[in-house]
Amino acid sequence: MRQELVGGLKIRVSGGIDGHGGGTGPVVVLLHGFGAPGDDLVPLADVLNVPAGTRFLFPEGPLSLSFGPGDARAWWLIDMARIAQDRAAGRVRDLSQDIPKGLAPMREQMLNVLKEIEQKFGADPKKTVLGGFSQGAMLSCDLMLHTDRPYAGLVQLSGTLLAQPVWGPLLPKRKHLPVFQSHGVQDEILPYVGAERLRDALSQAGLSVEWHNFRGGHEIPRVVMQRLGMFITKTVTQT
């Protein structure tokens, strides 16, 4: 693995022909979740069964938090007090109408990062999969809807429906896009119902959703990793 500075963000690069992102193989860009260290998803590069030479890029969120494991990072800040209030009141967390203040500026920076990735790594959009976990899943979905690049697929690991007033009108332009979505039925961080809303919104707009639920919480279990590897292989090898 090596590190690069791309569009002002630290990116960890793995896979490829040399383990450091070398070669011209397909590209998988994965964004970590809120409160996770920038290298949180890096181990996936070693466990996913994908075509030889596939390159993995793991951008690191620009915000450093004062809590969490190691150097906890984020893409935008979350109202932790509201989460505590919802839990105390027994309310199901619903983010579908939320448009976080930090979303638009983060979107602009990441769109520039994706452009630079295309140029710097010779990444063919048609052989590039974009996705993430939790907050990273939300950001990757938002990015997909705000670019016209012909990406091979979208990965939503424990994500949720966010910014519906913004996303709703944009979803139809991604009709037929392959989407991999997984969620734990016992997720206490982002409730299962939010994932179902996202799945339904994507499907109703004509995107091709491969849906995987599992008995568990806010995590990426082995069965999901196995199916994700098959999804990536299928999407980046289509002609």
Side-chain angles (χ1 to χ4, degrees), residues 39-113:
D39 62 355
D40 188 53
L41 299 180
V42 170
L44 290 179
D46 294 324
V47 299
L48 292 177
N49 186 11
V50 295
T54 297
R55 296 172 287 169
F56 287 86
L57 278 63
F58 303 95
E60 180 175 289
L63 302 180
S64 180
L65 305 176
S66 58
F67 60 88
D71 182 18
R73 314 296 295 190
W75 301 101
W76 60 81
L77 295 178
I78 289 176
D79 187 347
M80 303 302 289
R82 176 185 164 190
I83 294 175
Q85 291 168 0
D86 286 346
R87 284 185 177 174
R91 289 190 294 265
V92 175
R93 191 179 179 202
D94 179 9
L95 301 178
S96 61
Q97 301 303 309
D98 286 17
I99 304 175
K101 291 181 180 179
L103 178 59
M106 193 65 254
R107 173 197 306 143
E108 292 308 310
Q109 183 172 7
M110 272 303 303
L111 286 175
N112 288 329
V113 168

Side-chain angles (χ1 to χ4, degrees), residues 209-229:
V209 181
E210 183 178 318
W211 168 255
H212 299 286
N213 61 8
F214 57 89
R215 186 173 296 280
H218 203 59
E219 59 188 296
I220 310 173
R222 182 168 298 277
V223 64
V224 167
M225 295 180 196
Q226 293 170 342
R227 291 169 177 171
L228 178 57

Side-chain angles (χ1 to χ4, degrees), residues 176-224:
H176 304 309
L177 176 74
V179 180
F180 181 97
Q181 187 184 359
S182 67
H183 211 93
V185 297
Q186 298 156 322
D187 194 328
E188 296 183 352
I189 305 297
L190 291 174
Y192 186 71
V193 64
E196 290 182 310
R197 290 179 184 135
L198 175 61
R199 176 200 64 197
D200 293 346
L202 297 173
S203 298
Q204 290 166 12
L207 286 76
S208 179
V209 181
E210 183 178 318
W211 168 255
H212 299 286
N213 61 8
F214 57 89
R215 186 173 296 280
H218 203 59
E219 59 188 296
I220 310 173
R222 182 168 298 277
V223 64
V224 167

Side-chain angles (χ1 to χ4, degrees), residues 127-210:
K127 294 187 180 299
T128 298
V129 172
L130 175 63
F133 175 79
S134 193
Q135 191 183 63
M138 300 177 217
L139 178 55
S140 65
C141 187
D142 185 80
L143 292 169
M144 185 66 76
L145 297 178
H146 283 88
T147 177
D148 59 1
R149 304 305 290 157
Y151 289 117
L154 175 66
V155 173
Q156 298 289 283
L157 303 171
S158 297
T160 195
L161 181 59
L162 182 78
Q164 190 171 30
V166 176
W167 289 8
L170 298 175
L171 281 168
K173 77 171 189 174
R174 281 300 185 180
K175 188 176 183 179
H176 304 309
L177 176 74
V179 180
F180 181 97
Q181 187 184 359
S182 67
H183 211 93
V185 297
Q186 298 156 322
D187 194 328
E188 296 183 352
I189 305 297
L190 291 174
Y192 186 71
V193 64
E196 290 182 310
R197 290 179 184 135
L198 175 61
R199 176 200 64 197
D200 293 346
L202 297 173
S203 298
Q204 290 166 12
L207 286 76
S208 179
V209 181
E210 183 178 318

